[in-house]
Amino acid sequence: MDRFNLVRESFMKKARPVDTPEGRPSEYFGELTFDRNKMQKYLDAKTFYALLECIEGGKPLDRKTADGVAKGMKEWALEHHVTHVTHWFQPLTEGTAEKHDSLIDYDGQGGVIETFDGKALAQQEPDASSFPSGGLRATFEARGYTAWDPTSPVFIQDDTLCIPTVFISYTGEALDYKTPLKKALKAVTDAALPICRLFDPSVGKVFSYLGWEQEYFLVDEGLFAARTDLMITGRTLFGHNSSKDQQLDDHYFGAIPSRVAAFMRDLEIAGHKLGIPIKTRHNEVAPNQFELAPIYGETNLANDQNQLLMNLMHTLARKHGFVVLLHEKPFEGVNGSGKHNNWSLGTDTGTPLLAPGKDALGNLQFITFFVNVLAAVQKHNALLKASIASATNAHRLGANEAPPAIVSAFLGRTMTQVLRKLLEVPSDTPIEIAGKKGSRMGLVEIPEIFIDNTDRNRTSPFAFTGNRFEFRAVGSSANCAGAMTTLNAAVAEQLLDFKAAVDQELATGKSLQVAVMDTLKPIIASVIDTICFDGNGYTDEWKAEAARRGLDTEACVPEMFKAFLTPSSLEMFARTGVYSEKELEARNEVKWETYAKKVQIEARVMVRMAINHIIPAAIAYKASLLKEVSLYDEVYDDTDGCATELAILDDITRYVEEVRQRARQVEDARVEADAIEDAYERARAFADIANMLFALRKPIDALEEVVDDKLWPLPKYRELLFIS
C-alpha cells in the first residue's frame, strides 16, 4: 500500500467500542491482583499474618508459609483460568522479562494435575548470561536467580500468574533494577527514621513515595509500518517539520480525539484491574502527544506499576490501530516525552516530611528534610544527571520542553526567602511558614482558589512543588528505578551525616531547635547559591553560571556515566549498601554498551534508508525533470523556459551528493567504532557518530521539501502527527 492510501486509511479509522466492565472502577479495581483482600479470602489466618509480617516488617518466609501462600494463590489463579506462572523481573535492558512455565505436572497415574508450591513461588533460575550484566555473568557462568518480592502484589495477565521478583547472579550481585531500588529505599527509610523520632517518637516507619507522569506519542500503525526508522529505532531519523505543529498551543489540554479516548479508556480499565490507580489523562503540547498519571504510591510498587503499564500501552494501542512511541524525542522540532518523577517522603503517622507542619516543631522537621534533600542533590548533581542519561534522553534534554543537562533545584520565591531568612535569625527562633493564602478572583462562578507558596519552572530538572520534589529530567522510556535508586541513596547518605552532626550538637546540651538549626545553617549557606536556581535554565548565561558554581555541565552521555565511578559515588553507594564497586563497574559497562548499540543501530538504519529510500526517490524525480527539460529543448530548441526545472535539478544534485558523502562518512565511522573493544572508548566514538547523524539529516530534510510529494517514499510529519 502506498503512502497516500496509508494516510487515507488512517483518517478513516474509527474508534473501537470500549468493553467497559459493569460497575464503577472502585468495584473492579485490583480485580487481577493478589491484594490484601484476596490474601484474607484465600489464605488461612496463620499464613495471612505471617505474610503481612514479611511485607510490613521484612521478616523472611519459611517454606511452610510459602507453601500456604502458593496454595491460596493457585486457588485464586485457577478461578481466573490461569494456566501458566512466571517470575516477572526487570533486567538491565530497561524493560521487563518473563519466562512462562505451565502449572501442570504428572499425577503419577498417567495424567497431569495443576501444581504450584512455595518453591515455585519463591525462586526460579533464568539464564543470567543472556541478559546484560557488564561481565558479571559469562556464557559459561549462566546461573542466576529470581526471588519473589512480597511487597509488590502478584498479578494476572491473560492466562499467566505474574510474580514480581528481584534478579541476582549466582554470586549475589544485582542484575536488575528492583534489587538496588529496594536497597536504596531501605537505606533512606533507615536513615530518616531516627531523625523523625527527634520530632515525634511515635514514628515507626518512613516511606519513600513516587508519582510518575508518563508522556507518550500515538501514531497510526499503518504509517508506523511504512517508516523503517520508527519501527527499528523508535524515532524518526529524518523528516521536515510540518507547517503547523505545536506553535499555536492548541493541542495542550484540548479535547481528546475519540479514537484516542477509546484507547485511554481501555488502558484505564486494564490498569485499574491490575491495581494501577490511573487518575489523570490529557493531551500534551505536541500533536498526537498525551500524558497519564496515577495517584501517588510507595516507590517500589509505583515503579513496578509503571513498568507494567508501559507493556499494557503497547498491547492495547495495537487494538485501536495505534502504536505507542515512548522514545524521548520521536519527532524533531516538537516537544519530546519525559516521565516526571514526583518524589517525597512520609511517615506511618501520616506526616509528609516535605510539607510545612502544623506548628513550629513540624516546620522545623520540614526544613530539616527539605534542606538535606537539597544538600544531597548538590553533592551528587553529576550522579543524578548520570542516572537519567541515555542515548534517547540526550535528544530531549535541553530542548524547549525539557530541563537542561545541568541539575539544579527550583524552590520558588517563598521558600528561597525562607531559607535566606533562616540564615539571619537566631537558631532558637520558631519557624512559621504560611501554607496557602486564600484569594478570591471577584467572580461568583469561580470558587475560592489557593495560591501555592511555590511557582512552577519547566526549565528546572529538580523542582519543589509544594509537598514534593519533581525530578523532571527522567526520560519517557526509562525505568524510574534508575533515578529513584540514586536519589534515595544520595538522600540517605546526607541524612546519616546530618544525624551524626545533630547528635554532636545535642551532646553539648543544646536544645533540639538550636542543635538542628546550628547544623542546618552551614548547609543552607552552601546550597542556596549553589544548587538552587529559580531562573531560566535554557540560557547560555546559566550554563556559564552553573560552571562557575561548580555544577556539572557535561553534555556527552558516555562521559556523564563516569559519575557513577567517582570516589564520592563509590563511597555513597557502599555506605548505603546499594551497590558494590563491582556492581557499579558492571552497570557502567552495560550503560556504555547500550549507548553504543543504540547509536550503532540508528547509524545503520539511517545509512540504509538514505541509500535505499531517499536517493532513489530523488533520482526518480530528477529523471522526470530531465525528461521534461529534454522534451522542451526538443520542441523549442531552447532550455530558457525551463529555468525552474534546472534550478531544482541543481538543488537535487547538490543534496543527493551531500547525502551520499555524509552517509559514507557515517558508515566508515561506524565500522571503525565497531572495532573498538573498550566499552567506554566505543561509546565515545558513537557519541561523535550521533552528531554526524544530525549532519546527514539536514540534506535529507531539504530533499523532502524539493522532491515531488507523490514520489516521496515515507509518511511525512504532517501525516504522522495529524491522524487522530
Side-chain angles (χ1 to χ4, degrees), residues 378-651:
Q378 175 184 321
K379 180 177 181 180
H380 295 291
N381 70 95
L383 181 61
L384 285 167
K385 182 169 69 174
S387 75
I388 55 88
S390 68
T392 53
N393 207 21
H395 296 288
R396 166 180 167 262
L397 293 181
N400 63 354
E401 82 287 353
I406 302 171
V407 172
S408 63
F410 168 81
L411 308 187
R413 182 175 57 188
T414 300
M415 287 309 303
T416 300
Q417 290 174 346
V418 166
L419 293 187
R420 294 196 182 280
K421 185 70 174 179
L422 289 174
L423 292 176
E424 301 170 358
V425 301
S427 294
D428 60 354
T429 305
I431 302 173
E432 296 181 1
I433 302 176
K436 296 187 177 183
K437 302 175 182 178
S439 173
R440 293 189 180 276
M441 297 183 66
L443 298 174
V444 176
E445 295 84 1
I446 299 178
E448 183 179 35
I449 66 170
F450 292 92
I451 302 174
D452 277 301
N453 57 15
T454 62
D455 197 352
R456 285 181 177 265
N457 186 331
R458 291 186 175 275
T459 73
S460 174
F462 197 80
F464 181 64
T465 56
N467 59 2
R468 62 193 183 275
F469 282 95
E470 184 179 13
F471 198 1
R472 294 179 52 84
V474 183
S476 174
S477 65
N479 188 316
C480 299
M484 288 296 99
T485 297
T486 301
L487 176 59
N488 282 282
V491 171
E493 179 198 45
Q494 175 60 31
L495 293 177
L496 290 172
D497 289 341
F498 175 80
K499 180 60 167 60
V502 168
D503 286 345
Q504 288 183 351
E505 296 291 333
L506 290 171
T508 66
K510 294 181 179 179
S511 68
L512 177 63
Q513 164 88 23
V514 173
V516 168
M517 287 309 305
D518 282 353
T519 306
L520 283 178
K521 282 185 175 181
I523 303 175
I524 295 172
S526 176
V527 302
I528 193 69
D529 292 318
T530 305
I531 196 67
C532 300
F533 176 68
D534 288 358
N536 185 351
Y538 294 154
T539 65
D540 290 335
E541 289 79 7
W542 166 236
K543 294 177 183 177
E545 171 66 12
R548 187 191 66 77
R549 293 185 182 194
L551 300 179
D552 186 86
T553 58
E554 180 60 60
C556 176
V557 172
E559 284 295 322
M560 292 180 192
F561 293 147
K562 283 187 172 182
F564 279 98
L565 300 177
T566 61
S568 62
S569 297
L570 292 171
E571 179 183 356
M572 182 272 287
F573 283 124
R575 184 179 176 193
T576 54
V578 175
Y579 291 120
S580 68
E581 184 172 352
K582 184 178 180 181
E583 286 174 321
L584 285 169
E585 290 172 347
R587 283 167 189 265
N588 260 30
E589 288 287 313
V590 172
K591 290 177 182 293
W592 284 320
E593 182 180 345
T594 300
Y595 178 89
K597 286 181 176 178
K598 286 191 174 183
V599 179
Q600 175 205 62
I601 291 169
E602 288 191 350
R604 284 176 168 172
V605 171
M606 197 167 190
V607 167
R608 290 171 183 174
M609 290 186 73
I611 301 301
N612 298 331
H613 292 76
I614 305 306
I615 290 179
I619 290 175
Y621 184 45
K622 182 177 179 180
S624 68
L625 289 175
L626 285 170
K627 183 177 181 181
E628 181 178 341
V629 171
S630 177
L631 288 172
Y632 190 93
D633 184 43
E634 184 178 328
V635 172
Y636 296 102
D637 194 25
D638 182 16
T639 59
D640 290 345
C642 297
T644 299
E645 289 88 341
L646 291 171
I648 294 174
L649 281 168
D650 287 342
D651 288 341

Side-chain angles (χ1 to χ4, degrees), residues 304-379:
D304 282 1
Q305 290 174 342
N306 181 247
Q307 289 294 300
L308 177 55
L309 188 83
M310 288 194 290
N311 292 339
L312 273 178
M313 292 170 74
H314 287 296
T315 301
L316 293 177
R318 290 285 188 172
K319 294 182 178 180
H320 291 267
F322 288 122
V323 172
V324 168
L325 301 181
L326 293 177
H327 193 288
E328 282 72 16
K329 194 74 170 179
F331 302 102
E332 193 69 19
V334 298
N335 282 12
S337 296
K339 180 152 49 194
H340 306 160
N341 279 206
N342 295 278
W343 173 84
S344 64
L345 296 171
T347 72
D348 58 354
T349 61
T351 302
L353 298 179
L354 292 175
K358 298 178 181 179
D359 52 28
L361 187 64
N363 287 334
L364 181 61
Q365 177 176 256
F366 159 59
I367 289 295
T368 294
F369 282 94
F370 181 78
V371 170
N372 276 288
V373 170
L374 294 175
V377 174
Q378 175 184 321
K379 180 177 181 180

Side-chain angles (χ1 to χ4, degrees), residues 227 235-242 244 329-334 697 701 704 714-722:
R227 294 273 320 207
R235 76 180 181 105
T236 53
L237 297 174
F238 38 77
H240 202 282
N241 65 294
S242 172
K244 176 186 180 297
K329 194 74 170 179
F331 302 102
E332 193 69 19
V334 298
R697 177 179 188 139
D701 289 354
E704 183 181 318
L714 306 170
K716 298 182 176 181
Y717 275 21
R718 66 169 183 258
E719 297 155 354
L720 290 164
L721 291 172
F722 297 95

Side-chain angles (χ1 to χ4, degrees), residues 599-601 603-604 608 665-675 686 689:
V599 179
Q600 175 205 62
I601 291 169
R604 284 176 168 172
R608 290 171 183 174
Q665 291 169 358
V666 169
E667 181 64 11
D668 290 344
R670 181 191 65 77
V671 171
E672 185 177 339
D674 281 341
F686 274 105
I689 292 173

